[in-house]
Amino acid sequence: MDSGGWIVYLCIFFIFFGKILEYTSSYHDRWFANLTLTPEARKLDGQYRSFLLERQRLREENNSISAQDNYARWTKNNRKLGELDKKLNTVRNQMQETNASSKKIFGKIKLIGLTIPFWILKIWQRNHVVYHFPKQDLFPKLMTGVWARGWLYLALGPLQYLRNGALNIHDYVPLGVSLGIWIWALQTTINTLEFLVKQLILTKSVNPPPQKTKPRTEPEVKNLQKLEITDDKVELD
């Protein structure tokens, strides 16, 4: 690795810090509620917690009693649960409105402190060599150019070949893997590992739906009426 290792370490910090923010996105609302110091936000948070505890208590009580033996009590608790659900939705919407300003501030801080500096660093130091090749002809010329100058070389390579009749990489000194390609490879590896973990470990297996078997129908038996001759008389008109 090149002596300017601070560039690589700073890129690793930006990448993994961004992933941490992505993984913890479901907890951001709670963090914003805790960071908000206004009396209104504290009041809404207290109401939400009290309603949630009361709802949990009523659900446990309903699960412990029989609906047939204690119908009046069970129905009363069910009515209270419906009212608590409405109150929880109302308080949750109010909390989201209160935290909207905190989200905007957090978005601006993330943009100024993480996204823009990382983008500037990638553009400014995109040709910084992270790994040096031990020799020049270790890879094909086209691949060596991509490692050194990024994916843009793949698009400009044919134009250079048509103009000069060859792919010249002697101006890429020293030869090696540039920062832009190294960041692309690192992010691709992280995303692939993340996908595999989600698919193989976190995602629950879904059982195939049971096949519906058609019920066997016995063939209908027609009731044949037996004709019996009860009289041998023949009447003539």
Side-chain angles (χ1 to χ4, degrees), residues 175-190:
L175 297 175
V177 179
S178 63
L179 182 67
I181 290 295
W182 181 83
I183 291 175
W184 169 81
L186 179 60
Q187 290 179 329
T188 303
T189 303
I190 293 174

Side-chain angles (χ1 to χ4, degrees), residues 202-220:
L202 300 181
T203 304
K204 296 181 179 180
S205 59
V206 180
N207 296 327
Q211 297 180 354
K212 296 182 179 181
T213 57
K214 295 182 179 180
R216 296 180 179 178
T217 56
E218 297 181 358
E220 296 182 358

Side-chain angles (χ1 to χ4, degrees), residues 19-60:
K19 282 296 180 181
I20 290 174
L21 293 178
E22 180 182 347
Y23 296 152
T24 58
S25 59
S26 58
Y27 300 97
H28 289 176
D29 290 341
R30 187 182 303 174
W31 293 349
F32 295 144
N34 294 331
L35 293 175
T36 306
L37 301 178
T38 59
E40 182 183 359
R42 289 198 295 267
K43 181 180 178 181
L44 291 174
D45 184 65
Q47 289 180 353
Y48 186 81
R49 292 178 184 273
S50 63
F51 290 156
L52 199 62
L53 290 174
E54 181 67 15
R55 182 176 180 273
Q56 184 179 358
R57 185 188 66 80
L58 290 176
R59 287 179 64 88
E60 291 178 353

Side-chain angles (χ1 to χ4, degrees), residues 18 55-56 59 71 88 90 99 118 137 156 192 232 234 236:
R55 182 176 180 273
Q56 184 179 358
R59 287 179 64 88
Y71 179 75
L88 284 172
T90 302
N99 296 334
F118 188 34
D137 56 348
L156 299 179
T192 303
D232 55 355
V234 177
L236 298 175

Side-chain angles (χ1 to χ4, degrees), residues 54-119:
E54 181 67 15
R55 182 176 180 273
Q56 184 179 358
R57 185 188 66 80
L58 290 176
R59 287 179 64 88
E60 291 178 353
E61 183 178 348
N62 264 13
N63 292 333
S64 62
I65 62 178
S66 174
Q68 295 179 353
D69 300 337
N70 301 276
Y71 179 75
R73 183 180 174 186
W74 189 84
T75 306
K76 183 179 179 181
N77 289 345
N78 254 4
R79 193 180 303 113
K80 289 183 178 179
L81 284 172
E83 295 175 357
L84 283 174
D85 288 338
K86 294 180 181 179
K87 291 180 179 179
L88 284 172
N89 290 330
T90 302
V91 174
R92 189 184 297 112
N93 293 334
Q94 293 176 355
M95 291 175 64
Q96 290 178 353
E97 293 177 358
T98 305
N99 296 334
S101 59
S102 299
K103 287 183 178 180
K104 291 181 181 179
I105 295 174
F106 175 75
K108 292 180 180 178
I109 293 174
K110 181 182 177 183
L111 179 65
I112 297 173
L114 183 66
T115 306
I116 293 179
F118 188 34
W119 181 79

